[in-house]
């Protein structure tokens, strides 16, 4: 640990988006060197990094060359070249999450099979190779309406998901290898964020509750703590621990879950890195998710996940009908709200439903926070010149 805090450790981050930016902000508090690899010189993390390297994190040569200059290598996106990461690990680099964890998670088919193989409760699913095979399954009565299609690879931020309620929706069907799941009778969606270090110690943040935009399939509003009873809370935490221990993950993981109307807790999907469902922890918890990930991957003691206060987080998304140079409208509404914290990611270009920032509101009364959060969601707009 002394080496980490004395400038002797260099962290390399694959990806330079908003997650990388907020991770670097946490690392800078301890004066820890961070470099990023990203194809876009204007990515959000570039201005904060000690070193920005332009390159493609999905290409073997780019990842290998970048990683040779780091002591610890981590990710902010799963679509990275794991073959290069395995070579870097063999060279003695710390690579967290491990290449095997990334390979399990970044393919949703592999991920769902992992849950099934490890007796981790998840919704029923079948994997189909392409669109025509899904249509064939419908014709044979193997698939019933309504169902959800999830692309096995490269689906994120609401992309790669199609909700098919009947024949009229078949035009939305994706022609790619996919998971097909029956629509779950959901009471609410929650997330458990956990950190685990090399000693196997695990810390758990309070469970959060998420409301999704039906148009964008993105989190619209997040509530911490989740409004669930203690029995469901214990089940969710136990399930989250089973996921992180089965993966043998070192770092941070967000495990998204369904709470069904019958009281079941089902794992939906996981992300082995800081996640949208943990942005609020910057202000609302003793240690943020970014600090926890930093501590876990560098061998430092894990921090406290205890809450400082209840919180609500809303994603600030690009407004429909606007693409181009970004303009934030009605931001003063956030700045005039007690307990509100506006995080603007620094993306120069907006487009509909693009994640451009988030707002966290801290206070004492959850219902009042939810009401104000919904007001700000409707007031703050991201438009273009």
């Amino acid at each position: 640990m002394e080496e980490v805090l004395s400038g002797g450790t260099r962290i390399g981050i694959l990806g330079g988006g908003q997650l990388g930016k907020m991770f670097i902000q946490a690392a800078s508090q301890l004066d820890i060197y961070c470099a990023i690899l990203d194809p876009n010189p204007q990515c959000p993390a570039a201005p904060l990094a000690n070193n920005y390297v332009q390159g493609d994190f999905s290409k073997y040569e780019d990842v290998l060359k970048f990683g040779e200059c780091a002591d610890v290598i981590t990710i902010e996106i799963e679509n990275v070249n794991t073959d290069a990461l395995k070579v870097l690990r063999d060279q003695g680099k710390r690579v967290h999450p491990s290449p095997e964890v990334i390979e399990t998670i970044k393919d949703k088919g592999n991920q769902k099979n992992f849950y099934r193989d490890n007796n981790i409760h998840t919704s029923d699913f079948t994997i189909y190779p392409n669109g025509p095979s899904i249509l064939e399954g419908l014709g044979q009565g193997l698939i019933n309406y309504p169902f959800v299609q999830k692309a096995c690879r490269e689906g994120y931020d609401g992309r790669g998901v199609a909700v098919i309620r009947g024949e009229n929706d078949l035009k939305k069907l994706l022609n790619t290898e996919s998971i097909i799941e029956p629509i779950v009778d959901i009471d609410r969606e929650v997330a458990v964020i956990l950190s685990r270090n090399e000693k196997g110690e695990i810390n758990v943040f309070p469970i959060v509750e998420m409301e999704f935009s039906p148009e964008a399939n993105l989190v619209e509003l997040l509530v911490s703590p989740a409004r669930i009873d203690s029995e469901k809370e214990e089940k969710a935490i136990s399930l989250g621990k089973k996921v992180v221990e089965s993966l043998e993950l070192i770092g941070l993981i967000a495990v998204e879950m369904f709470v069904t109307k019958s009281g079941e807790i089902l794992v939906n999907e996981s992300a082995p890195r800081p996640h949208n469902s943990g942005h609020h922890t910057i202000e609302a918890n003793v240690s943020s998710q970014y600090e926890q990930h930093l501590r876990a991957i560098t061998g430092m003691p894990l921090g406290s996940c205890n809450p400082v206060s209840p919180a609500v987080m809303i994603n600030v998304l690009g407004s429909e009908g606007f693409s181009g140079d970004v303009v934030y409208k009605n931001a003063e509404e956030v700045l005039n709200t007690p307990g509100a914290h506006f995080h603007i990611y620094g993306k120069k270009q907006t487009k509909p439903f693009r994640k451009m920032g988030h707002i966290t509101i801290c206070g004492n009364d959850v219902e009042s926070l939810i009401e104000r959060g919904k007001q700000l969601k409707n007031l703050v707009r991201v438009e273009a010149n």
Side-chain angles (χ1 to χ4, degrees), residues 121-159:
H121 296 301
T122 189
S123 55
D124 294 335
F125 69 98
T126 306
I127 300 172
Y128 287 85
N130 50 38
S133 66
I134 296 169
L135 293 174
E136 186 178 335
L138 278 165
Q140 294 174 344
L142 300 175
I143 302 172
N144 297 310
Y145 297 115
F147 64 88
V148 179
Q149 178 191 21
K150 299 178 182 177
C152 286
R153 289 171 290 279
E154 298 186 20
Y156 65 99
D157 281 357
R159 293 183 282 266

Side-chain angles (χ1 to χ4, degrees), residues 12-29:
I13 308 163
L14 301 183
Q18 64 265 22
L19 300 175
K21 176 180 181 176
M22 289 181 273
F23 178 84
I24 293 172
Q25 287 172 331
S28 68
Q29 188 172 335

Side-chain angles (χ1 to χ4, degrees), residues 143-211:
I143 302 172
N144 297 310
Y145 297 115
F147 64 88
V148 179
Q149 178 191 21
K150 299 178 182 177
C152 286
R153 289 171 290 279
E154 298 186 20
Y156 65 99
D157 281 357
R159 293 183 282 266
V161 177
V163 179
I164 311 296
R165 300 188 181 277
E167 286 188 20
N168 291 338
D169 288 333
L170 289 177
K171 59 183 178 292
K172 298 190 292 185
L173 207 62
L174 308 168
N175 188 21
T176 187
E177 185 179 18
S178 304
I179 296 164
I180 300 298
E181 300 177 342
I183 288 182
V184 177
D185 193 16
I186 299 171
D187 177 55
R188 63 194 65 209
E189 298 189 47
V190 300
V192 181
I193 300 175
L194 312 94
S195 56
R196 180 177 180 270
N197 62 17
E198 293 171 340
K199 297 178 182 178
E201 298 167 337
I202 297 173
N203 277 7
V204 185
F205 285 94
I207 299 172
V208 299
E209 178 182 343
M210 302 171 293
E211 295 181 11

Side-chain angles (χ1 to χ4, degrees), residues 325-337:
D325 294 341
V326 63
V327 177
Y328 295 92
K329 297 289 185 72
N330 301 324
E332 68 275 7
E333 296 287 346
V334 184
L335 303 178
N336 284 327
T337 297

